[in-house]
Amino acid sequence: MAPSKLRKAIGAVKDQTSISLAKVGSTDSLSDLEVAIVKATRHEELPPEERHVREILSLTRYSRAHVAACVTAVSRRLSRTRNWVVAAKALMLVHRLLRDGDAAYEHEVFFATRRGTRLLNMSDFRDASRSEDSWDFSAFVRTYALYLDEQLEFRMQNRRRKRRGFTYDEEEGEEEEEAAAAARALTPAKEMSNELVYSRIHHYVHILQRFLACKPTG
């Protein structure tokens, strides 16, 4: 069997094993969630299937506990893999969840990353396939994760209160804070202070540079 076919076969076995473990290791709802995450991040060199992503979004909508469970499951998936396909698809899933998922995803992903969990902390990721393109694939995963992390950091800064820090216990007034952040985001540039305009420009240029750096090479 050719090395590439062998790797695909091993990847398929790993995926099926992860699915089987998820089915017996959790409650029904969480089991469905973990199975959908594995299926959305299979070893196949294809984009995540939309139906699996939609299932994850549906299972975690309006449930902070399920959002936290989803973030933990994706982090565990990333911490265990040395395959660039799985890592890239997991990051694509995180990207989609931050964009279309419950608002709680921003807080969960942000703080999970800052606690050092393997989520957007991919600076030491290395693909273990030893293929001739593995270095380029690994570099893409690291750069993509950094882009997502800094984009999320900018969004969280816009929501942060004037006083230092933010904790999960600060539920009172959280809706008012998010409404204020949304209002600031919609403020016309001509009504902003020069300092705020320069700060926004700096952040947008920096994020744009990170985005452009995600262009695959090799």
Side-chain angles (χ1 to χ4, degrees), residues 2 16 28 39-40 50 56 61 78 83 111 140 150 156 160 163 165 182-183 217:
Q16 190 56 50
D28 288 343
K39 289 182 176 180
E50 181 64 19
I56 295 168
R61 199 172 301 278
L78 281 168
N83 182 281
F111 288 110
F140 172 77
E150 295 198 0
M156 291 296 290
R160 194 169 295 159
R163 64 187 182 83
T217 60

Side-chain angles (χ1 to χ4, degrees), residues 107 158-163 166-182 184:
H107 295 156
N158 288 336
R159 297 185 178 206
R160 194 169 295 159
R161 292 185 175 147
K162 290 183 180 180
R163 64 187 182 83
F166 182 93
T167 67
Y168 289 121
D169 294 332
E170 292 174 316
E171 294 181 0
E172 185 177 355
E174 185 173 328
E175 292 183 1
E176 290 82 352
E177 166 60 20
E178 294 197 357
R184 288 195 297 273

